[in-house]
Amino acid sequence: MDTIQGFVEHIIFRNSENSYTVMSLTAGDGSENTLVGIFPLIDEGEYIQADGEYVEHPNYGAQFKVSSYIIREPDTIDAMLRYLSAGTIKGIRESTAKKIIKRFGTETFQVMDKEPERLAEIKGISLQMAQKIGLSFAEKAGARHAMMYLSKYGINGTLAVKIHALYKDQIYEIIEKNPYQLTESVRGIGFKTADEIAERAGIGRHSEERIRSGILYTLNLSENEGNVYLPEEELINRASAILSVGRDEVEYGVGSLAIERKLIKKKSAIEDGGINIYSERFYYIEESCADLLYRLFSNTKKYKGEIEEDIERIEESQRLFLAENQREAVFQAIKSGIFIMTGGPGTGKTTTIKVLIKFFLSHGMDVSLAAPTGRAAKRLSEAAGLAAKTIHRMLEVTGVSDEDEKNLSIRDAYRSFNRNEDNPLDTDVVIIDEMSMVDIILFRSLLRAISPGTKLIMVGDAQQLPSVGPGTVLRDLINSGRFPVCTLDRIFRQAQESDIVLNAHALLSGSEIKLDNKSKDFFFLERSNPEEIIQGIIYLVTRKLPPYVRTNAIEVQVMSPMKKGVLGVENLNIRLQAAINPADRTKTEISLRGGVLRVGDKVMQTRNNYQQEWTLMNRGSSLTETGQGVFNGDIGQITEINKALGEVTVRFDDGRISCYEGESIGDLELAYAITIHKSQGSEYPAVVIPLLTGPKQLFNRNLLYTAITRAKSCVCIMGSKKTVHEMSENKEEQKRYSSLVQRLNERFEREPS
């Protein structure tokens, strides 16, 4: 570890979001140095002492990479003059700085802090100007003091800047009395961080603020698991364990939060089911979905015309023939305001969508197609012959995230999207594919943007894993019995030639899947040693499968049930990166969470980032569209890394190009291997699935079905045949608490409003 100190001569670059800074520093011996690191509130002219190490950048030469630093108050005439001349204090430039220093000397900073009106003694500085200078000086000093204060509680860098910007001088009282308040307003501070701060501040384990915050944290954890609510008993038990306090204390906290309407108590629809506890936000999201669905369903426009004749004309012109249940699906979709079509692979969902599109277009109706992910939207567009977008792009993301909206009144109009009740989609028909991926939050935003009289057609496979986000929307809509549903179950002749399709349907029917390797597209390789499995995966991905399915190694997708462990996603990605995109002098790379990202890597976005900007170019490389929002599960490839500016450029599957800076780079992770859950809605030329051992709750039929149906041309399973058969027989799924069915029943049984 090296130490360097000196004056900040020039800020070369600063990322306003995360304070990543490149700056020039003049050391005491007069040498100039380039420093890089996270520097909140550092300004030109300041004197700092920094610890770090010298690194050699291939393009920019020697740089000092800072790990920690302190700001030293200017205590000499020269240091004060440098600081004031830098222009960081409003109203002071070099000429004015010289006058102030000449008049007050070493007492300059004391005068500016305690008696700023005395600055008016200098010719050219009015009393009003003196007061403004004093205020600016005090703000800078206050910010520095706040940073030093927060660092005592383990809060540094960007997080400290966010807290100070939000609370100013209130931070001292908040930290010392109720740091749990930060969890409700500062992104990046969760309950555990607040708990650590509280412990350092001497706040007791049994304090009311801690227990209330812990209850909300427990409910938030359950929402991250996909739940919309928790049964009261389960919430109390979970929170009691997390907080290490008695059940009675938690019960009291739940009661007080319910009185303030921060929690909603609702009797379960199940007889003797007890009480369900919701966060206010999620209760009203479900209730709103039920209201909006009722409104759409009750305002169906009746179609006038000979549907049968129109369908026959389309069949003839497109040279296709609809099976009986496909024809029924087309009829129901045309006649209904809301329609759901579900079915497994090879059952003709895409063909049915194409007929519906042709029908609506032939009658002068506008049709909007969308899917949850860029890859799914691209596939839908190619199959249907009509442009499709992601749901987020169709709704026009504004850059305001769901996290931001938690601080708004739940009954206020959400601002995440430009399209809403006041600015609905300008279309007659909305068709959403891969509905199993849509969570309750996105579903509400979608419904808000569809005006009464517009048709909503939802297509998906109800047997897939539920959405990553909260709720089980597609299943709830089907199970409610409130809307017409058509299940396509006939496997068409062409699909019958695929063992991927046949094995998928065998799983659903409880039949044994074939692992005899007599197939052209479904293979099983028995292996019991994890290292042998990894070596086999690398061989398949890099050498065997690309020529077999006519693609490249990047397009072959490895999917694992787990993130951790030898055969988990994290370890597999390290091994696959070394095999597919090894280190090379020509490839720039940056460090990330114990590993590296380099140019050419396949990466995935790991959280919804509503502010992340992107551009879309056409084949002629001219700009066609710009927007905001990159979302959890989006996959792309790194095309450029600029280490000097801390930038990583990614081109996503749907063609969007996005430049990541500083903190946002942490949203990316390698995606040579992904979890099966994250594969939803996507289709790959070939998939490789390691299945050796795992928890029964996770290794179930639903997971195996989702995995094999992600492959278009080839499935390779490596591991234990016994494990595969046990998964085939295991119908148990992790319980998700969702009550959209209950909210729909309440709304439909209520008198029209």
Side-chain angles (χ1 to χ4, degrees), residues 402-596:
D402 295 321
E403 290 295 317
D404 296 331
E405 288 179 348
K406 285 183 180 179
N407 298 320
L408 299 177
S409 166
I410 197 67
R411 296 184 185 277
D412 288 346
Y414 275 19
R415 301 178 298 167
S416 289
F417 302 99
N418 281 322
R419 295 293 183 174
N420 49 46
E421 294 101 328
D422 299 324
N423 182 32
L425 293 166
D426 186 15
T427 189
D428 301 300
V429 182
V430 174
I431 300 177
I432 306 295
D433 197 13
E434 297 290 354
M435 262 301 296
S436 62
M437 291 185 66
V438 178
D439 63 37
I440 194 70
I441 302 171
L442 182 57
F443 189 53
R444 179 184 185 271
S445 295
L446 172 67
L447 293 175
R448 290 180 57 240
I450 301 175
S451 57
T454 302
K455 289 183 180 295
L456 173 60
I457 298 171
M458 294 170 280
V459 183
D461 187 345
Q463 303 303 322
Q464 298 279 0
L465 288 168
S467 57
V468 175
T472 52
V473 173
L474 180 60
R475 294 185 189 181
D476 287 349
L477 293 175
I478 293 170
N479 293 337
S480 72
R482 297 291 177 179
F483 312 105
V485 177
C486 187
T487 301
L488 304 183
D489 52 14
R490 174 186 167 183
I491 306 174
F492 286 88
R493 183 174 60 82
Q494 186 176 357
Q496 289 176 356
E497 297 173 3
S498 167
D499 286 312
I500 297 173
V501 173
L502 295 178
N503 276 333
H505 286 274
L507 272 176
L508 296 182
S509 65
S511 303
E512 190 171 307
I513 65 174
K514 294 180 180 180
L515 302 175
D516 56 14
N517 289 333
K518 294 180 180 179
S519 170
K520 293 181 180 179
D521 62 3
F522 200 104
F523 304 98
F524 174 79
L525 301 172
E526 182 82 43
R527 299 287 187 275
S528 58
N529 182 284
E531 181 58 31
E532 288 182 4
I533 293 175
I534 293 173
Q535 292 292 342
I537 289 171
I538 292 171
Y539 175 73
L540 287 171
V541 172
T542 59
R543 298 180 61 185
K544 194 72 175 177
L545 287 176
Y548 188 72
V549 296
R550 298 179 182 178
T551 189
N552 56 55
I554 288 284
E555 285 296 307
V556 177
Q557 188 62 60
V558 178
M559 300 190 305
S560 173
M562 303 170 292
K563 288 199 72 170
K564 305 292 184 180
V566 179
L567 294 177
V569 164
E570 292 177 357
N571 185 54
L572 288 174
N573 269 316
I574 294 171
R575 300 291 296 274
L576 286 164
Q577 182 192 43
I580 298 172
N581 190 33
D584 187 295
R585 289 182 179 180
T586 64
K587 299 174 187 173
T588 310
E589 61 182 44
I590 60 169
S591 299
L592 181 71
R593 291 192 295 271
V596 298

Side-chain angles (χ1 to χ4, degrees), residues 176-201:
E176 290 166 14
K177 291 186 177 180
N178 183 19
Y180 299 100
Q181 180 180 337
L182 301 175
T183 65
E184 300 177 18
S185 52
V186 182
R187 184 180 170 192
I189 294 191
F191 174 77
K192 289 185 177 179
T193 302
D195 217 23
E196 291 172 2
I197 296 170
E199 186 176 1
R200 293 182 184 185

Side-chain angles (χ1 to χ4, degrees), residues 218-219 222 227-239 247 254 266 268 270 273-278 735-738:
T218 303
L219 203 54
S222 80
N227 298 309
V228 174
Y229 68 87
L230 278 180
E232 187 172 34
E233 280 297 300
E234 187 168 341
L235 173 61
I236 291 170
N237 289 336
R238 285 197 192 191
R247 282 175 51 88
V254 169
K266 194 75 175 177
S268 173
I270 304 170
I275 301 296
N276 296 333
I277 306 292
Y278 303 76
K735 172 68 177 174
R736 274 201 177 194
Y737 295 111
S738 169

